Each structure stands twice: as structure tokens, then as C-alpha cells.
Amino acid sequence: MNTESTDGRSFDWRFFLTRWSEEWAGAERDSEDLSPEDERARRAGWLGGEPASDEAIAAMEARLGRKMPPSYREFLRVSDGWRHAGQFVVELAGTGAARWHQDAMGLGKDFDEAWGEEGNPEEVRAMVGLWSRALQLDVESDAVFVLLDPEDVGPDGEWAVRVWAYWRASDPQRYPSFAAYMVDMHREFHSFANDDREGRAAFVNETTRTQDAAVAVARTAALRGRHEEAVRLLTEAAGYGRPYAADILHQLRLLSGERAYGRPMVPPGSPRFLTELLPLHAAEVVESGRSLEGSQYAYFTDPNTFPDTARAAVDIWRLMGTGDYRYQPGGAFGRAVDEAHAAARWGDTDTAWRILRAAIPLWEPLDPDHLAPVGLLADPVLAPILTPARRTELLATPRGDESGTAHASAEPTADLDPGGLSWLVREGGLRPGNPSLSDFRMVLVEGVAPDELPVLLGESTGTPLSPPLHRWKVRRYHRMEEQRASVPQDRALLRVGRAGAGWSFGFEEDPAGRHSAHWFRSPAPAASSRGGRAIVVWGGWSWDTLLFHLSVAEAGDPLFEYTVRDGIVETETGSVPPELAPASLGFSPPSAVAPHEPPKDAAAHTTATARALDALAEMYGIRLPRHALTEGLLRSFESVSWVREPRDGDSWVTLRFE
């Protein structure tokens, strides 16, 4: 059946309507409660009427005062009316019953006011007046209006069809022509007829066979990397209600980044149930912040409903809540996933993606309807590395039984993390899409693994690392607002990861604390106490000041330290390398406009900070993972205070907020 061309001149109405009638009669052959009209239609194998003559069509057009659009006229020449246009329209008008809509329900006023609001898209404003101008085609329906709009005319002369039901909370659905509407109603008929209710005969016909064959083609196309072709075929097959088409399509849409409505049910006996479906459901609920009780996931933890998998569902939920869930598909691809997880866990997402990308051809499906490793999207560490471009690359890479098939669109995506460190102060560096700069502070430690940083810098003995968290959840997780202290405190919330070969980092964006020359204590000596070097950097643009602090220690001993505030070198100790000297970096203050009031030159300060950061990166071979810091999930901990202990003569004020 050709559903690509639905204009009135090339669409084969006789073929289309005959097949529809035969399929409807086959679906209803065992029904015992048909109306007399439907019983006659079943016996005749025809849902329509006699063909309308040209004279009848001309008389209709004279009565209505308008020539009918092409596809509706051609339909009438084959059948003067129709029964069961989809699930909710019992009878569709022919030449005698079509009439101008009278708006008996008084819908026009409210709809026109809403549609005509200034600022609405043009396609919405174009619907104003629909209820007073449309041709009504529904004769009997389940409160559904089928309207031909004479003011919405295409270049082919077709009038758009608008379908509205009061029980649908939406504007009328638009079809570009009457033929397009009827094709969709044929799909709707199939989607309802293809159910498994008791006593219904198997629904098999030429259309179902054609669509099932298309699903098979789509499976192969998807595994060969032709995902766009597969989505097109599966979308149509799912519209016809074909088994498994929605499940397969759901996988491709998840990975393509499209909104994947619905949750196709994978049989509990399938290996995909535990490794793909349940983790995705659990991740969705956990990310939303909802509890297990009352969520849709609780259904899967009921041992009465799922006696074989309920315990595993509870375990998945628990691991997802703590951030410890890991996608473990097994086989060669599973080993690559483990390796990628180890890299991404500490922020090296580019390496993690390169590992996964090389292993995609090794991936093996768990059943015939498994087309891609969608379970990656449930892994809290690996999911953030799957950017839209990388998801497309995954889908375009041949895999499974088709892994040897080349496909031109599987071009490698570029790495996301820039070199150097100056990106921290570039436009959009820490805030993608936002030109403003973020204050930040960080500790870079040599010869120490990221999970060892809490031992060196933790707020207390045994300070734990948090679960993997997005940056916007760190402060809420550690509940800093509940802290009370009787002495000055400035405990940083450091997200941790690797900073290049042999280095680890602790990084805080927009710290709550304020750098004070009087109170500040660099954590560099404590961080370097195991014998390596440690670097502390603090950059700031808020608090009405421009700040850059750098301190370096080795084996517990300070090497050098300085602080530049508003262009003035505030403190400097130790032997600063020439490459990092404030003057050589451009931190010299501009001419003062008044004594003790040098003007603040934010651009110069930012440029000097960028030079300092890149010099540090080159001297020590360090880097930071931008994608992990801005988009990914990293573990974090609460550090020791960056404020020294009070001395005799110090005074302070403690504020408490309720």
C-alpha cells in the first residue's frame, strides 16, 4: 500500500478502501454484537457506500457553495461515505451528509480567544474561526469532530483536516489532506484491532504481514548503523500496532535523544528485563527525586507479581539511589564498559568514550529485539558521557551480527575536554552557554589517587566520598546550610577526579567562603604531606573584588605563595618561578584614579589569570576534565577549613540563619 503519496490524484482509493474493509471484516468475524449496519458491512466485505456519481458530487458542491478538495472528491467517487474511520468515528459523511459546522457546543468563542492571543505561532493563530467555517464530516462519533478547513489549503488544493475530541486535552490534530487523515485512521484501526483480548481471532492480513516484514528490515538496518531508516520503518509499524515495534523504536529514540514516550514492557523472562529495562526505570525515578513508594518502579519490586525478579529490582533501586549502580553487560563489550567506567569515574570522559567507541562493534544483543546498549543510559557515571553527537555515533556504528558492515555516517566525534587550564576563565568555560565567569578554587595533588584526597584534606577522620553527583546537587547533598560553628570556618566542597598523569584534583565552583588575607590558610602543605607536590588556586570575580591566589607545597613544606587582589600583590612568600611571577603574568595594577583606589580591570585580571593557569598546566603537566565538571557526575567531600585557627586578639561574628 502506498502511503507516501496521499493526494487525490495518485492515491489508489479503491485498493486502499477494499483492503481496509476486508481487514475490518476479518477482525470482526467472530463478533456477535454487531449492529445491523455493521453486520451487513461484514457480510459484504465493504465499509463504504456506493460510488458517488459526478452529478451527486456537483450537487453537493452546489449545496455547500464550494468545490471539494481533490482527495475527498476522489474518495467519494469510490465510496459515498464510510463506516468506522478509526476507533472513534462510527460514520463519516458522504455527499448527502457533509455540512458546514454550526458550532452547536459554542466552542468558537473560547477557542478563538486562546488561539488569537498575541505571541502565538502563526499556525495556531491560523485556526481562529475554524468552528464557524469548517465542513463537518463526522455523522456519528464518540464526541469526535472531523472538520475540513477551507482556509487551510495546500499548494495541491487539499484542505487540511482538523480532528478534535473534548476528552483530549489538546488543540485539534491537523492532517494535510483527507487522504492523509484516512491513512492514519487505518493505522488507528490496526492499533486497536491488533490486541490480545480473549476470544479474538488472530489478526493477520496483508497489512500486518507487510509491517512485520518492515520491522525485520528495521532490525537489520539498525544493527548496520542505518538508524534513521530503522526509525522511519518502526514508526510506521508501531502506528499499526505491530508487536515489538514500539519496544525496538523506544531503544533507538532513547539513544537518539528524542522524547521516548511510554515504557514498552519487556517480558520478565528476557535477559534485557534486569540489565536494561529495570535500571532505566529506576534511574528515571531516582533522578526525579521521587521515593520508591508510590512510584511506578514499586510495581517491579512486588514479589507476588514478579516472584523471580523482585529481589533484584530492589537491589537495583538501592544501588541507583546510592550512585553505585553499574551497567555490566558482560562479554568483550562488558569488559570495555568496565574499563570506560574506571576512566569516567574520575572525570576522564574522553578516554571513556574512546574505549566505548572502539568496543561498540563487539556488543552483542541479548535477544532478537535488542538493538543497542541502552542500559548505558542508566549508569550514573557513563550516561553523562553520551552526548547527543556520541549517541548518534553509537547508533551509526554497525554492531552485533552486522558489526562487519561499514557505514559512512559513523564519523568519530571530537574530544570534549580542552588542553591547558585557561578554559576555566574563558567565556562559557564553567558555564556552557553562559558568558559570565564563575569563582572557583581547587587543590591539585601529585602522587595521590582521587579517593585518597579525603584522607589528606577531609573535614574529619574517615570523611567519605559522596555518591556521583551533578554539580548543582553537591551543596544540597552536604547540607552546608545546616552547619553551625562557634569559630570561623570555610570548609570547601571538593569534587574529585584525575588531573592528568599522576595528579588528582579537588575542585569547587562558586565557593561559599570568601578569601581573606588575614584568615586564609592554604591546604597545599597538608595535601602534599605524602611527599608529592600540591597546588592550590583560587580565582574570583565576585564579592566586589578581583582575586587570584596561588600556593605550592612539596612534601608538606610550602614552596611559594602569593595573592593578587584588584591588581595588587597582597602577599608573596617563597621563591616564585619566573613563569608564574605576578608581574610576568600581567597582574600589575593600572594607574590609580585616587590614592589607595586602583580601578578594577576585570579583562586584564582575567587575561593574567588565564596565563597563570596555562603556565601551571605546562609546568606540571596537569589538566582538568571540563565535561565531567560541567555536565557529568563526580564524587565529592567536605574538606578541612581553609581558614586558620583563631589567635589571641582575633575577633569575629557568628551569624545563624533559621
Side-chain angles (χ1 to χ4, degrees), residues 42 54 63 70 92 165 204 226 274 296 319 367 433 443 463 606:
R42 181 175 66 175
D54 288 344
R63 173 173 61 84
L92 208 59
V204 179
R226 303 200 306 269
L274 287 176
Q296 70 268 31
L319 292 171
D367 61 47
V443 185
T463 296
T606 301

Side-chain angles (χ1 to χ4, degrees), residues 373-537:
V374 294
L376 285 168
L377 302 177
D379 191 302
V381 171
L382 294 177
I385 78 173
L386 296 177
T387 62
R390 286 170 172 174
R391 293 185 187 196
T392 299
E393 185 179 352
L394 188 159
L395 288 173
T397 301
R399 53 199 179 274
D401 294 339
E402 305 295 335
S403 58
T405 307
H407 191 253
S409 67
E411 295 294 331
T413 53
D415 285 352
L416 299 176
D417 293 337
L421 293 174
S422 61
W423 63 265
L424 287 164
V425 295
R426 302 300 184 196
E427 183 174 312
L430 276 171
R431 297 174 176 174
N434 187 330
S436 63
L437 297 177
S438 292
D439 289 4
F440 66 88
R441 56 184 173 184
M442 61 180 169
V443 185
L444 300 152
V445 187
E446 184 182 28
V448 173
D451 55 358
E452 296 176 302
L453 290 179
V455 177
L456 298 173
L457 295 173
E459 184 269 338
S460 61
T461 303
T463 296
L465 284 173
S466 74
L469 298 170
H470 288 290
R471 59 178 178 170
W472 56 84
K473 292 185 176 180
V474 172
R475 191 163 300 278
R476 183 174 63 189
Y477 175 85
H478 291 280
R479 300 184 299 278
M480 292 291 284
E481 71 278 4
E482 296 182 8
Q483 295 179 2
R484 302 288 183 266
S486 58
V487 297
Q489 294 286 339
D490 180 18
R491 296 192 289 270
L493 295 181
L494 298 176
R495 303 175 73 203
V496 303
R498 298 197 184 279
W503 288 82
S504 294
F505 71 84
F507 187 91
E508 183 179 39
E509 182 182 353
D510 292 327
R514 180 176 182 178
H515 185 283
S516 166
H518 179 71
W519 287 100
F520 175 73
R521 176 183 61 185
S522 173
S528 66
S529 60
R530 290 193 175 178
R533 292 169 291 183
I535 304 166
V536 170
V537 178

Side-chain angles (χ1 to χ4, degrees), residues 286-356:
V286 169
E287 185 65 22
S288 71
R290 289 170 286 171
S291 63
L292 175 62
E293 294 74 17
S295 74
Q296 70 268 31
Y297 191 80
Y299 169 70
F300 298 108
T301 64
D302 181 1
N304 295 319
T305 307
F306 297 95
D308 298 326
T309 59
R311 181 68 259 172
V314 172
D315 291 341
I316 290 170
W317 173 267
R318 175 179 53 80
L319 292 171
M320 200 67 69
T322 61
D324 294 317
Y325 174 78
R326 292 183 59 175
Y327 180 53
Q328 296 176 302
F333 183 73
R335 291 190 290 274
V337 168
D338 290 342
E339 187 180 351
H341 194 282
R345 182 171 186 250
W346 302 122
D348 193 355
T349 58
D350 284 336
T351 295
W353 172 244
R354 287 194 292 270
I355 294 168
L356 287 177

Side-chain angles (χ1 to χ4, degrees), residues 462-651:
T463 296
L465 284 173
S466 74
L469 298 170
H470 288 290
R471 59 178 178 170
W472 56 84
K473 292 185 176 180
V474 172
R475 191 163 300 278
R476 183 174 63 189
Y477 175 85
H478 291 280
R479 300 184 299 278
M480 292 291 284
E481 71 278 4
E482 296 182 8
Q483 295 179 2
R484 302 288 183 266
S486 58
V487 297
Q489 294 286 339
D490 180 18
R491 296 192 289 270
L493 295 181
L494 298 176
R495 303 175 73 203
V496 303
R498 298 197 184 279
W503 288 82
S504 294
F505 71 84
F507 187 91
E508 183 179 39
E509 182 182 353
D510 292 327
R514 180 176 182 178
H515 185 283
S516 166
H518 179 71
W519 287 100
F520 175 73
R521 176 183 61 185
S522 173
S528 66
S529 60
R530 290 193 175 178
R533 292 169 291 183
I535 304 166
V536 170
V537 178
W538 193 330
W541 286 261
S542 59
W543 301 98
D544 298 322
T545 188
L546 300 172
L547 171 75
F548 179 77
H549 168 85
L550 173 64
S551 50
V552 179
E554 184 172 7
D557 296 323
L559 295 181
F560 62 89
E561 177 177 343
Y562 65 81
T563 301
V564 179
R565 194 184 306 272
D566 294 335
I568 301 295
V569 179
E570 191 173 63
T571 60
E572 183 173 348
T573 60
S575 178
V576 181
E579 305 95 314
L580 295 173
S584 65
L585 294 170
F587 278 119
S588 57
S591 301
V593 295
H596 312 296
E597 294 183 7
K600 298 177 182 179
D601 190 339
H605 177 84
T606 301
T607 299
T609 300
R611 292 193 187 108
L613 292 169
D614 278 343
L616 285 169
E618 184 174 353
M619 287 180 64
Y620 297 102
I622 53 180
R623 57 191 294 274
L624 287 177
R626 179 178 184 267
H627 183 70
L629 285 170
T630 59
E631 308 294 337
L633 283 74
L634 292 171
R635 298 177 185 270
S636 59
F637 72 98
E638 189 176 3
S639 80
V640 295
S641 177
W642 289 35
V643 168
R644 64 170 175 77
E645 294 295 325
R647 303 168 184 156
D648 291 342
D650 286 334
S651 61

Side-chain angles (χ1 to χ4, degrees), residues 20-31:
W20 188 347
S21 296
E22 292 171 349
E23 292 168 351
W24 178 86
E28 300 294 342
R29 66 176 178 269
D30 295 329
S31 298

